[in-house]
Amino acid sequence: MSIFSPATAREREENFESYWRYQQRRDGEILEDAKDLSEKRKSLVRFQANPVRTRRPVGDAFHRNYLTMRDAPRSLDRRTLLLTFLYKFARHEWIGISAAWDETPTVARAAYLIDKISRYHLAEEFCHMRLFQEMFRTFGLEGVEWGPLPKRTRQLYGAFARLPGPVVAPPAFVSELMGLTVYLQLDTMLDGIVGDEPEVRDRIRELLRAIMTDELSHVGERRNFMGPIGLRAARLMVRPMFRAFFGGIPEARLLFDTRQMRKDAEAFDYSTIGPDVLSVSWAPSYCTPRP
Ligand SMILES: [Fe+2]
Ligand SMILES: [Fe+2]
């Protein structure tokens, strides 16, 4: 069923409860100081204890182009394009979550359920940043960092995070949806880009799926924040937000069919997600057929 399916206030309340149970079951305890979650930490340790490394490190081409494109994008091979894109994509997210983290109460101090949910949600995003770093290491890129945060950008995101909930909900939902369409697209491209190194491909896919499972649940969670007006606003925001975001990253058009991705987002439906991801993720009850 469509992510844009309607819901009553009562249904949304029940879904927040169900989502909160899901988060705790999946993530374990929150580790506030480390912006980490106990179960996610265990899984990262498992990846790190069993490293997979490419025989063809990406190296110089990445370092020359990951902050700003210095070479002609068309002259770069697809692995480099994939990684410089991923860096820009992840860094953008890192700026947003870093600013939002400072604006949300800790779980211990949270007065409302939605604040606890938001805190866990942000901690999950920080865990994704570590999984991205593990992807970079898989391609021979050690010590890839996100900072420093430009002051203007930090202020802008900080101001965004302080806006009233109903105003933030539609764009926050659309950015999760945008993230999900990127991951779904990347998943289908891995064979073409790293298929010549099957262990590398499988490891990247595992890391990607770990993120994708959370992002799928975030899309549902963020959907649950919106009433009918928010939902209508969100639908209208898909096109301009996709355009602005992908227009700012030169790699995007070379890697993806961004127009198709935008259409996929506008028509997003849980029936397009494979059972392996769907069964371990979370979706609102009113968007999934009743058993
Ligand atoms: Fe994310
Ligand atoms: Fe997310």
Side-chain angles (χ1 to χ4, degrees), residues 89 93 97 121 124-126 128-129 132 175-176 179-180 183 211 214-215 218:
F89 178 79
E93 189 144 321
I97 61 175
H121 179 149
E124 286 169 9
E125 302 285 8
F126 280 106
H128 298 171
M129 296 298 125
F132 281 123
S175 35
E176 295 290 347
L180 180 65
Y183 299 122
I211 300 176
D214 288 343
E215 295 299 3
H218 290 171

Side-chain angles (χ1 to χ4, degrees), residues 61-289:
F62 177 83
H63 289 290
R64 228 173 21 249
N65 296 293
Y66 79 115
L67 290 174
T68 36
M69 255 307 154
R70 294 222 170 78
D71 299 339
R74 284 181 194 283
S75 70
L76 298 175
D77 70 288
R78 285 174 66 77
R79 294 196 322 159
T80 308
L81 279 178
L82 172 75
L83 292 167
T84 57
F85 170 82
L86 264 186
Y87 180 82
K88 286 167 187 156
F89 178 79
R91 179 157 189 274
H92 185 265
E93 189 144 321
W94 180 78
I95 292 171
I97 61 175
S98 301
W101 181 263
D102 298 333
E103 300 295 329
T104 41
T106 60
V107 168
R109 306 183 103 202
Y112 302 103
L113 181 63
I114 53 169
D115 287 336
K116 293 182 194 170
I117 288 175
S118 299
R119 193 67 169 177
Y120 259 66
H121 179 149
L122 285 171
E124 286 169 9
E125 302 285 8
F126 280 106
C127 294
H128 298 171
M129 296 298 125
R130 296 176 197 113
L131 294 174
F132 281 123
Q133 285 171 320
E134 195 54 34
M135 286 188 204
F136 290 124
R137 273 183 220 115
T138 309
F139 283 101
L141 301 164
E142 294 290 336
V144 173
E145 293 295 340
W146 313 110
L149 210 60
K151 198 170 162 220
R152 283 285 297 275
T153 324
R154 193 211 310 245
Q155 285 168 341
L156 197 73
Y157 277 86
F160 177 77
R162 284 190 298 273
L163 287 173
V167 178
V168 175
F173 165 74
V174 175
S175 35
E176 295 290 347
L177 193 55
M178 196 155 58
L180 180 65
T181 48
V182 166
Y183 299 122
L184 289 170
Q185 200 63 35
L186 289 177
D187 198 54
T188 66
M189 290 162 47
L190 287 180
D191 273 313
I193 298 180
V194 274
D196 57 330
E197 288 189 294
E199 327 82 66
V200 174
R201 176 200 59 203
D202 293 349
R203 171 53 60 93
I204 297 295
R205 176 161 285 142
E206 247 186 300
L207 292 163
L208 197 64
R209 293 256 168 120
I211 300 176
M212 200 158 87
T213 307
D214 288 343
E215 295 299 3
L216 182 63
S217 73
H218 290 171
V219 166
E221 176 223 317
R222 277 295 175 185
R223 157 64 192 90
N224 202 53
F225 273 89
M226 296 181 295
I229 297 170
L231 203 58
R232 215 173 314 146
R235 238 190 234 269
L236 294 173
M237 278 179 197
V238 171
R239 184 192 285 254
M241 280 182 69
F242 268 60
R243 219 178 250 170
F245 183 73
F246 290 118
I249 304 184
E251 292 89 337
R253 258 180 312 142
L254 298 174
L255 285 166
F256 312 114
D257 180 349
T258 52
R259 221 174 82 107
Q260 187 57 48
M261 284 162 76
R262 195 246 303 155
K263 287 186 178 162
D264 290 348
E266 284 170 335
F268 179 73
D269 187 305
Y270 285 96
S271 64
T272 59
I273 307 291
D276 47 340
V277 174
L278 199 56
S279 64
V280 284
S281 189
W282 181 90
S285 59
Y286 49 84
C287 292
T288 42

